[in-house]
Structures are given as structure tokens and as C-alpha cells.
């Protein structure tokens, strides 16, 4: 699935956060707490609805969504008329999506998990050793975090 990549301490932290029980989006966003200005509780609450491909619907991967949230907090715009800033933000998100897809084949949760149809059951899976063994989510947390970190570093952020 993910390409061979050496992970930074931040990326490894995202994986650890997932393994502590945070959802994939929360783990990825919290890993950037030093750069976003969000405290852990706020980041966890903001990202809480986006795990499991948004509310466990298995749509857009939560790790990718968390990276997008972090990028928005770090480099986003707040002026609704800032067309140039909006364009630049969208360009960076599309670049991040292309790189994530290149490494994993998709940004869609159910495709990354090898599931057929999207789920609508809101009950999260129990976090057991079997769960962690069969799910790529922890690795995807590290991967998405590393991609964003590499992007920021390459642009002098």
C-alpha cells in the first residue's frame, strides 16, 4: 500500500496517537498541534467527525482530511475574497491528494481498506490487536503526516 518512506518523529507520533485510540483524522491533525495553534482537546473535537472516512461512511480518508485541516490551520486564508490565497490553498491540497494517491492508490477510505460498498453503521470497530493487525490506518496516519511535513519543509515552512 504505502510507499517506502522514512518517517519523522511527527509522523510516528501520528501513528502512536491512532494506536492510543484517536481516530485517523484526529491522530493526523493532533500531530501538527505545535504548528496549528490548536490545543489537543480542540483538535480532537474538530476532527472527531471525520474518522472512518467521515463519520465511518468510508468516503474521504480521515488521514488525508486531517492533513488538509492541518494545512488549512498552518497556511490557510480567512478572507472570503482572497481569490489568490484560495487558489494557492486548493493547489496545495490537490498536490497533497496526488501524492497520497500515488503512494496508496486512492484517498477514499473504503478503497484503502479494500471494502466494497460504503458503510452506514455508526458503531466504531473495537480497537483490538486484530483490528490493528488488519487495518492500514496507523500507517496511513504516519504517511499522510509525513507527506504534509515534507510539503511544508520543501516550501520553507
Amino acid at each position: 500500500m504505502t510507499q517506502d518512506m522514512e518517517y519523522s518523529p511527527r509522523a510516528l507520533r501520528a501513528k502512536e496517537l491512532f494506536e492510543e485510540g484517536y481516530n485517523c483524522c484526529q491522530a493526523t491533525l493532533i500531530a501538527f498541534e505545535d504548528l496549528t495553534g490548536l490545543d489537543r482537546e480542540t483538535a480532537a473535537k474538530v476532527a472527531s467527525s471525520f474518522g472512518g472516512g467521515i463519520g465511518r461512511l468510508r468516503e474521504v480518508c480521515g488521514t488525508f482530511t486531517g492533513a488538509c485541516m492541518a494545512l488549512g490551520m498552518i497556511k490557510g486564508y480567512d478572507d472570503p475574497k482572497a481569490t489568490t490565497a484560495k487558489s494557492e490553498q486548493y493547489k496545495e491540497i490537490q498536490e497533497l491528494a496526488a501524492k497520497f494517491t500515488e503512494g496508496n492508490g486512492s484517498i477514499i477510505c473504503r478503497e484503502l481498506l479494500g471494502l466494497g460498498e460504503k458503510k452506514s453503521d455508526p458503531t466504531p470497530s473495537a480497537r483490538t490487536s486484530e483490528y490493528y493487525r488488519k487495518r492500514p490506518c496507523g500507517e496511513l496516519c504516519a504517511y499522510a503526516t509525513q507527506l504534509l511535513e515534507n510539503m511544508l519543509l520543501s516550501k520553507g515552512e
Side-chain angles (χ1 to χ4, degrees):
M1 174 163 297
T2 57
Q3 298 175 348
D4 290 332
M5 181 184 287
E6 190 170 322
Y7 292 133
S8 68
R10 180 186 310 277
L12 293 173
R13 182 70 183 130
K15 183 176 181 179
E16 290 170 6
L17 288 162
F18 179 77
E19 291 170 353
E20 287 174 17
Y22 287 101
N23 75 35
C24 47
C25 186
Q26 290 171 318
T28 305
L29 181 58
I30 292 169
F32 288 95
E33 65 189 329
D34 61 315
L35 299 178
T36 63
L38 294 173
D39 62 85
R40 181 173 299 207
E41 181 182 354
T42 302
K45 285 181 178 181
V46 166
S48 65
S49 297
F50 296 88
I54 305 176
R56 207 165 182 264
L57 290 170
R58 307 298 190 209
E59 295 294 344
V60 177
C61 173
T63 69
F64 177 74
T65 303
C68 292
M69 288 178 176
L71 182 61
M73 288 301 300
I74 296 164
K75 294 182 66 177
Y77 64 93
D78 59 1
D79 178 356
K81 296 182 183 356
T83 306
T84 302
K86 186 184 288 191
S87 244
E88 183 57 33
Q89 185 77 9
Y90 291 172
K91 178 182 174 189
E92 289 185 335
I93 293 298
Q94 290 177 11
E95 179 184 330
L96 191 64
K99 288 179 180 179
F100 190 93
T101 300
E102 181 183 319
N104 299 289
S106 181
I107 62 168
I108 303 301
C109 175
R110 69 179 166 276
E111 293 172 5
L112 295 167
L113 295 178
L115 302 174
E117 297 179 24
K118 74 178 183 179
K119 295 254 186 190
S120 59
D121 178 5
T123 308
S125 300
R127 295 287 185 99
T128 63
S129 58
E130 175 66 18
Y131 172 91
Y132 289 114
R133 192 171 36 260
K134 70 178 186 176
R135 287 264 197 286
C137 306
E139 185 73 19
L140 289 168
C141 288
Y143 189 84
T145 300
Q146 191 64 57
L147 280 181
L148 179 55
E149 187 171 32
N150 290 349
M151 177 187 282
L152 294 170
L153 289 171
S154 75
K155 297 181 183 200
E157 301 294 327

